[in-house]
Amino acid sequence: MQRRELGACGIDVPVVIFGAWAVGGWSWGGADDERSVQAIQASIDAGANAIDTAPVYGFGRSEIVVGRAIQGRRAAVVLMTKVGLRWDDERGDPAFETTDELGRKLVVRRNLRPWSVREEVEHSLKRMRVDVIDVVQVHWPDPRTPIPETMGALLELRAQGKLRAIGVSNFDVAQLELARKALGGVPLASDQPKYSLLARDIERDVLPWCRAAGVGVVVYSPLEQGLLTGKVTAERTFGADDGRSRRATFAAANRARVNAAIERVLAPIAARHGATCGQVALAWVVAQPGITAAIAGARTPEQARENAAAGALVLEPGELAELRAAFESLRLELPLRTRARGVLGVLRRLLGRR
Ligand SMILES: NC(=O)c1ccc[n+]([C@@H]2O[C@H](COP(=O)([O-])OP(=O)(O)OC[C@H]3O[C@@H](n4cnc5c(N)ncnc54)[C@H](OP(=O)(O)O)[C@@H]3O)[C@@H](O)[C@H]2O)c1
């Protein structure tokens, strides 16, 4: 397993981190806690011993399951969770509405006020049954709370020994700059954006900025929620309680195009290395300059072991380029707003503005 320092925060992480969203059940068609505990433990034992979770994943359930899985193994684990999305408090701007596994309607709100950050970290420590969290990341920006206020609360919690390092997620460059400045001499450990062979937007500005600033980049959905494993065939269906049933990338036409590219380019490379397609997709991500690690979600010990083993797979420069070219030339049918975001990004860059 290759390991890298998370920015300049002094914490080493494996290049494959266990993603614990799906083990929360919500938005992933449910979960089996026993299997989830086994999956997390298999990941730790295979060297992928960093875990990324969040309070909102299963509305506390993911953190509770992570806490169970790391009992007796705390010292061997890098524990990463988040703050900023509340379903259990009525203050803050609504981010989205959803239903939990019991069918109850919930409003999830953005809240990064200092009191809320302090409250959330206390809840996370209790749910995971630990004294300290290694990395606390701001899950999504909250336009109502000035970034320095949130960073101030996180710095206080760090001074109290409740967390070791501070990261963010889904931040743009302007927000990253504000966060880094607000932390003063304490390094901003990492940003957590989306990135995969199919989602390369951060290459435009976030990734170069993080590289230049020495901020770690741990990316989410590197398997495009399973699509890049080649196992999402045309026949596979997802229930209404699985978010993938509504994702544009999973629509029949897109699935067919992605699977054709996998068959043509990714699968032959995988065969050459005696690896799986998912492992090659992960190895491509962690080989990109500036990427610290890929957070791969897994629900079974088999998936967790397979993903962890990708951390030892090194692709040739020619293979990396071939994969990039194949997926860059793929034209997916995406909703107008997704395409508009891309065009806007290019325009901003051309105009030299954010
Ligand atoms: N900061 C944020 O806003 C944000 C957003 C999204 C995710 N995240 C984090 O990033 C993590 C990973 O992202 P993600 O869960 O969205 O997507 P992902 O890692 O790209 O995909 C995970 C899914 O792919 C399938 N899979 C995983 N390993 C596999 C294997 N070896 N073989 C076959 N299928 C496999 C599993 O689904 P099936 O078992 O159903 O096939 C699994 O749930 C999350 O768990 C979370 O920690 C953060």
Side-chain angles (χ1 to χ4, degrees), residues 21-45:
W21 179 13
V23 305
W26 161 73
S27 196
W28 286 87
D32 171 339
D33 289 352
E34 292 311 314
R35 290 293 272 167
S36 299
V37 167
Q38 289 164 10
I40 295 166
Q41 292 179 342
S43 183
I44 298 169
D45 294 346

Short mmCIF file of all heavy atoms in Angstrom, two decimals, residues 21-45:
data_model
loop_
_atom_site.label_atom_id
_atom_site.label_comp_id
_atom_site.label_asym_id
_atom_site.label_seq_id
_atom_site.Cartn_x
_atom_site.Cartn_y
_atom_site.Cartn_z
N TRP A 21 -19.95 6.10 3.35
CA TRP A 21 -21.30 6.64 3.10
C TRP A 21 -22.30 5.48 2.94
O TRP A 21 -23.33 5.43 3.63
CB TRP A 21 -21.27 7.52 1.85
CG TRP A 21 -22.60 8.13 1.46
CD1 TRP A 21 -23.73 8.16 2.22
CD2 TRP A 21 -22.92 8.79 0.23
NE1 TRP A 21 -24.74 8.82 1.55
CE2 TRP A 21 -24.27 9.21 0.32
CE3 TRP A 21 -22.21 9.08 -0.93
CZ2 TRP A 21 -24.91 9.90 -0.71
CZ3 TRP A 21 -22.85 9.77 -1.96
CH2 TRP A 21 -24.19 10.17 -1.86
N ALA A 22 -21.98 4.55 2.06
CA ALA A 22 -22.94 3.47 1.77
C ALA A 22 -23.25 2.62 3.01
O ALA A 22 -24.36 2.11 3.15
CB ALA A 22 -22.42 2.59 0.63
N VAL A 23 -22.30 2.48 3.92
CA VAL A 23 -22.58 1.66 5.11
C VAL A 23 -23.60 2.33 6.02
O VAL A 23 -24.14 1.68 6.92
CB VAL A 23 -21.30 1.26 5.91
CG1 VAL A 23 -20.28 0.56 5.03
CG2 VAL A 23 -20.68 2.44 6.62
N GLY A 24 -23.89 3.61 5.77
CA GLY A 24 -24.97 4.27 6.52
C GLY A 24 -26.34 3.85 6.03
O GLY A 24 -27.35 4.12 6.68
N GLY A 25 -26.40 3.22 4.85
CA GLY A 25 -27.67 2.71 4.33
C GLY A 25 -28.46 3.74 3.53
O GLY A 25 -28.85 3.49 2.38
N TRP A 26 -28.65 4.93 4.10
CA TRP A 26 -29.45 5.97 3.44
C TRP A 26 -28.86 6.36 2.09
O TRP A 26 -27.67 6.57 1.98
CB TRP A 26 -29.52 7.20 4.36
CG TRP A 26 -29.91 8.46 3.65
CD1 TRP A 26 -31.15 8.80 3.19
CD2 TRP A 26 -29.05 9.55 3.31
NE1 TRP A 26 -31.11 10.03 2.58
CE2 TRP A 26 -29.84 10.52 2.64
CE3 TRP A 26 -27.69 9.81 3.51
CZ2 TRP A 26 -29.33 11.72 2.18
CZ3 TRP A 26 -27.17 11.00 3.04
CH2 TRP A 26 -27.98 11.94 2.38
N SER A 27 -29.73 6.41 1.11
CA SER A 27 -29.37 6.80 -0.26
C SER A 27 -28.61 5.69 -1.01
O SER A 27 -28.18 5.87 -2.14
CB SER A 27 -28.53 8.09 -0.23
OG SER A 27 -28.49 8.65 -1.50
N TRP A 28 -28.44 4.54 -0.36
CA TRP A 28 -27.75 3.42 -0.99
C TRP A 28 -28.59 2.14 -0.88
O TRP A 28 -28.02 1.03 -0.87
CB TRP A 28 -26.38 3.19 -0.34
CG TRP A 28 -25.37 4.23 -0.74
CD1 TRP A 28 -25.16 5.43 -0.14
CD2 TRP A 28 -24.46 4.17 -1.85
NE1 TRP A 28 -24.16 6.12 -0.79
CE2 TRP A 28 -23.71 5.37 -1.83
CE3 TRP A 28 -24.19 3.22 -2.84
CZ2 TRP A 28 -22.73 5.64 -2.78
CZ3 TRP A 28 -23.20 3.50 -3.77
CH2 TRP A 28 -22.49 4.71 -3.74
N GLY A 29 -29.91 2.29 -0.72
CA GLY A 29 -30.78 1.12 -0.68
C GLY A 29 -30.58 0.24 0.54
O GLY A 29 -30.77 -0.97 0.48
N GLY A 30 -30.18 0.84 1.66
CA GLY A 30 -30.03 0.08 2.91
C GLY A 30 -28.65 -0.51 3.08
O GLY A 30 -27.83 -0.46 2.17
N ALA A 31 -28.40 -1.03 4.29
CA ALA A 31 -27.09 -1.62 4.59
C ALA A 31 -27.26 -2.70 5.64
O ALA A 31 -28.26 -2.72 6.36
CB ALA A 31 -26.14 -0.53 5.09
N ASP A 32 -26.28 -3.58 5.72
CA ASP A 32 -26.29 -4.65 6.72
C ASP A 32 -25.11 -4.35 7.66
O ASP A 32 -23.95 -4.43 7.25
CB ASP A 32 -26.08 -5.98 5.97
CG ASP A 32 -25.85 -7.15 6.91
OD1 ASP A 32 -25.46 -6.94 8.06
OD2 ASP A 32 -26.05 -8.30 6.45
N ASP A 33 -25.42 -3.97 8.91
CA ASP A 33 -24.37 -3.48 9.81
C ASP A 33 -23.26 -4.51 10.05
O ASP A 33 -22.09 -4.14 10.16
CB ASP A 33 -24.97 -3.05 11.16
CG ASP A 33 -25.80 -1.77 11.03
OD1 ASP A 33 -25.76 -1.14 9.95
OD2 ASP A 33 -26.48 -1.41 12.01
N GLU A 34 -23.63 -5.79 10.15
CA GLU A 34 -22.59 -6.81 10.39
C GLU A 34 -21.60 -6.86 9.23
O GLU A 34 -20.40 -6.89 9.41
CB GLU A 34 -23.22 -8.21 10.58
CG GLU A 34 -24.04 -8.35 11.85
CD GLU A 34 -23.29 -7.84 13.10
OE1 GLU A 34 -22.10 -8.18 13.26
OE2 GLU A 34 -23.89 -7.09 13.88
N ARG A 35 -22.17 -6.86 8.00
CA ARG A 35 -21.31 -6.87 6.80
C ARG A 35 -20.46 -5.61 6.75
O ARG A 35 -19.30 -5.64 6.35
CB ARG A 35 -22.16 -6.93 5.51
CG ARG A 35 -22.85 -8.21 5.27
CD ARG A 35 -21.90 -9.32 4.98
NE ARG A 35 -21.55 -9.44 3.55
CZ ARG A 35 -20.55 -10.19 3.11
NH1 ARG A 35 -19.80 -10.85 3.97
NH2 ARG A 35 -20.31 -10.29 1.83
N SER A 36 -21.07 -4.49 7.15
CA SER A 36 -20.35 -3.21 7.11
C SER A 36 -19.15 -3.25 8.05
O SER A 36 -18.05 -2.83 7.68
CB SER A 36 -21.28 -2.06 7.51
OG SER A 36 -22.36 -1.98 6.61
N VAL A 37 -19.37 -3.77 9.27
CA VAL A 37 -18.26 -3.87 10.24
C VAL A 37 -17.16 -4.76 9.66
O VAL A 37 -15.98 -4.42 9.70
CB VAL A 37 -18.78 -4.42 11.60
CG1 VAL A 37 -17.61 -4.84 12.50
CG2 VAL A 37 -19.64 -3.39 12.30
N GLN A 38 -17.57 -5.88 9.07
CA GLN A 38 -16.57 -6.78 8.46
C GLN A 38 -15.82 -6.08 7.33
O GLN A 38 -14.61 -6.26 7.17
CB GLN A 38 -17.25 -8.03 7.91
CG GLN A 38 -17.77 -8.98 8.97
CD GLN A 38 -18.76 -9.99 8.38
OE1 GLN A 38 -18.91 -10.11 7.16
NE2 GLN A 38 -19.44 -10.72 9.26
N ALA A 39 -16.54 -5.29 6.54
CA ALA A 39 -15.91 -4.60 5.40
C ALA A 39 -14.87 -3.60 5.91
O ALA A 39 -13.75 -3.54 5.39
CB ALA A 39 -16.97 -3.90 4.56
N ILE A 40 -15.24 -2.83 6.93
CA ILE A 40 -14.30 -1.82 7.46
C ILE A 40 -13.07 -2.52 8.05
O ILE A 40 -11.93 -2.11 7.81
CB ILE A 40 -15.01 -0.94 8.52
CG1 ILE A 40 -16.12 -0.12 7.86
CG2 ILE A 40 -14.01 -0.02 9.23
CD1 ILE A 40 -17.11 0.53 8.82
N GLN A 41 -13.31 -3.60 8.80
CA GLN A 41 -12.17 -4.31 9.41
C GLN A 41 -11.28 -4.95 8.34
O GLN A 41 -10.05 -4.95 8.45
CB GLN A 41 -12.68 -5.35 10.41
CG GLN A 41 -13.32 -4.65 11.62
CD GLN A 41 -13.88 -5.60 12.65
OE1 GLN A 41 -14.10 -6.78 12.37
NE2 GLN A 41 -14.15 -5.07 13.84
N ALA A 42 -11.90 -5.45 7.27
CA ALA A 42 -11.11 -6.04 6.18
C ALA A 42 -10.23 -4.98 5.54
O ALA A 42 -9.08 -5.23 5.18
CB ALA A 42 -12.04 -6.67 5.13
N SER A 43 -10.79 -3.77 5.40
CA SER A 43 -10.04 -2.67 4.81
C SER A 43 -8.84 -2.32 5.69
O SER A 43 -7.70 -2.19 5.18
CB SER A 43 -10.97 -1.46 4.65
OG SER A 43 -10.31 -0.40 4.02
N ILE A 44 -9.07 -2.20 6.98
CA ILE A 44 -7.97 -1.87 7.92
C ILE A 44 -6.90 -2.96 7.84
O ILE A 44 -5.71 -2.66 7.70
CB ILE A 44 -8.50 -1.75 9.37
CG1 ILE A 44 -9.53 -0.62 9.48
CG2 ILE A 44 -7.35 -1.55 10.36
CD1 ILE A 44 -10.32 -0.60 10.79
N ASP A 45 -7.32 -4.20 7.88
CA ASP A 45 -6.36 -5.31 7.86
C ASP A 45 -5.57 -5.35 6.56
O ASP A 45 -4.44 -5.83 6.53
CB ASP A 45 -7.08 -6.65 8.09
CG ASP A 45 -7.67 -6.74 9.49
OD1 ASP A 45 -7.29 -5.90 10.34
OD2 ASP A 45 -8.54 -7.60 9.74
#
